[in-house]
Amino acid sequence: MQRSQTILQRTLSTPVILIAILAVIALLAAVVNTGPFNQTVIEIFIRVVLVVGLYVFIGNSGVISFGHIGFTCLGAYMTAWLTILPALKKSKLKGLPDIVLNAKLHYGWGLLAATLFAGACAYLIGKVLMRLSGIAASIATFAVLAVIIQVYSNWDSVTGAQSSVVGIPIVRTVWPYFACAVLTVIVAYFYAISRSGLALRSARDEAIAAAASGVDITRERLIAFVISGAMMGLGGALYAHSVGVVTPDTFYLGLTFVCLSMLVVGGMNSLSGAVLGVVILSAIIQLLRWFEKGVDIGGTSFALPLGVQEIAIGVVMIVILMFRPSGLTRNKELLWPHWPFKQLPAGRSRAPTG
């Protein structure tokens, strides 16, 4: 307990700085106050939720997961089932239970239900997968993603299969998305400094020493997996309410690649890297979108070919991995230079004892 309190004092400036960055982005959206710009900011906040969710598991455990976007799909469909009009569900989603068919909840309850549902599914899946390590665990998580997408792509009476589920209430204001992004940053920070977070990072750095010190590695991975899965479900629900429509293909390889890229670019072992990776790559993606649509320069319209976004992300990843393999933040956290306490020494986490 004393150790956690000390870490809290020494690193508290990190979430403060990150929340301040997100607040500046939200205020900028309020000042500009145009539909396209607000949508761009909303996308940034959704990505923050997703990438921070990935960080909670990948950054603390060291196990690369290719399947977490599957929980995003679960969250998106859960809020869709609970918030669209009963008449729409009865015409297209007849296989849902009667209590769900007749439900019409506020989107806030949909977000909560999506978070809990994804977290519960992550618990059931994690009970099996968290016994694996290394490449075996990564491949297993990808298999989970493939199974979820295939089930949702073919379960016609419940998910509409390949047809789009429409009628989801659209939330245009940026503040609910901002609040959820801030919430995930706070939860990720307090998990990282908790005894469970310290234990998991010690297992990431020295698995044998951690196990010898009494760390239950499977249990600690499961805790991170559930928290991470719940965050991904929340991100999926936010996505559904940002566009008003969901299809299974949205939550597959494309979104997986983008989110993992943002985590790697920022620095996968730091919360600051997760947030900064989202902000930086989102800015690049948005600039490329503008150029793909065409920009007038000196009376001449200049447009980039479609698909340049993916190429640019790949190039950025290659450059980062070549020159800064640990990401832009070098896996360190942002700290206020005159904060009363300084950063804990960088390096390996010690396994909790006693």
Side-chain angles (χ1 to χ4, degrees), residues 58-326:
I58 297 176
N60 290 288
S61 71
V63 178
I64 304 297
S65 172
F66 298 105
H68 267 65
I69 297 301
F71 299 119
T72 306
C73 179
L74 297 179
Y77 274 88
M78 175 54 71
T79 196
W81 292 333
L82 295 176
T83 59
I84 64 177
L85 293 172
L88 289 175
K89 288 182 283 189
K90 291 176 181 178
S91 64
K92 294 186 177 181
L93 307 175
K94 299 178 181 178
L96 290 171
D98 289 341
I99 189 172
V100 177
L101 278 175
N102 297 313
K104 177 62 176 75
L105 303 180
H106 185 268
Y107 76 88
W109 292 110
L111 297 180
L112 178 61
T115 303
L116 296 177
F117 179 62
C121 292
Y123 175 78
L124 296 175
I125 294 170
K127 288 287 286 185
V128 177
L129 297 191
M130 292 305 99
R131 301 177 185 276
L132 304 174
S133 299
I135 190 64
S138 298
I139 293 174
T141 59
F142 180 74
V144 169
L145 172 63
V147 169
I148 291 174
I149 297 303
Q150 287 303 313
V151 169
Y152 274 64
S153 297
N154 293 281
W155 201 353
D156 185 68
S157 63
V158 172
T159 65
Q162 293 290 346
S163 301
S164 299
V165 176
V166 299
I168 304 170
I170 299 178
V171 182
R172 299 293 188 189
T173 178
V174 302
W175 298 110
Y177 303 93
F178 167 73
C180 290
V182 169
L183 177 63
T184 55
V185 168
I186 292 173
V187 171
Y189 168 74
F190 278 103
Y191 170 74
I193 67 170
S194 69
R195 181 178 180 83
S196 180
L198 293 171
L200 185 57
R201 289 197 300 282
S202 71
R204 176 197 69 191
D205 296 331
E206 291 289 353
I208 296 177
S213 300
V215 174
D216 187 339
I217 298 177
T218 300
R219 175 179 175 273
E220 302 304 341
R221 284 180 179 171
L222 179 61
I223 292 173
F225 195 76
V226 171
I227 296 173
S228 179
M231 289 181 176
M232 303 302 286
L234 174 61
L238 290 171
Y239 173 85
H241 288 293
S242 71
V243 296
V245 58
V246 291
T247 55
D249 289 343
T250 304
F251 309 101
Y252 202 25
L253 298 181
L255 187 57
T256 299
F257 172 69
V258 170
C259 291
L260 285 175
S261 300
M262 291 176 173
L263 185 62
V264 170
V265 167
M268 67 172 60
N269 291 345
S270 76
L271 176 59
S272 301
V275 175
L276 292 181
V278 171
V279 173
I280 293 170
L281 273 188
S282 293
I284 294 174
I285 290 172
Q286 186 57 43
L287 286 174
L288 292 174
R289 282 180 181 173
W290 287 337
F291 279 104
E292 285 181 355
K293 291 179 180 178
V295 178
D296 289 330
I297 301 177
T300 303
S301 180
F302 176 76
L304 293 174
L306 296 177
V308 171
Q309 294 179 47
E310 289 76 10
I311 297 174
I313 293 174
V315 171
V316 170
M317 281 192 66
I318 292 171
V319 172
I320 293 296
L321 292 174
M322 286 178 60
F323 297 101
R324 300 192 74 163
S326 55

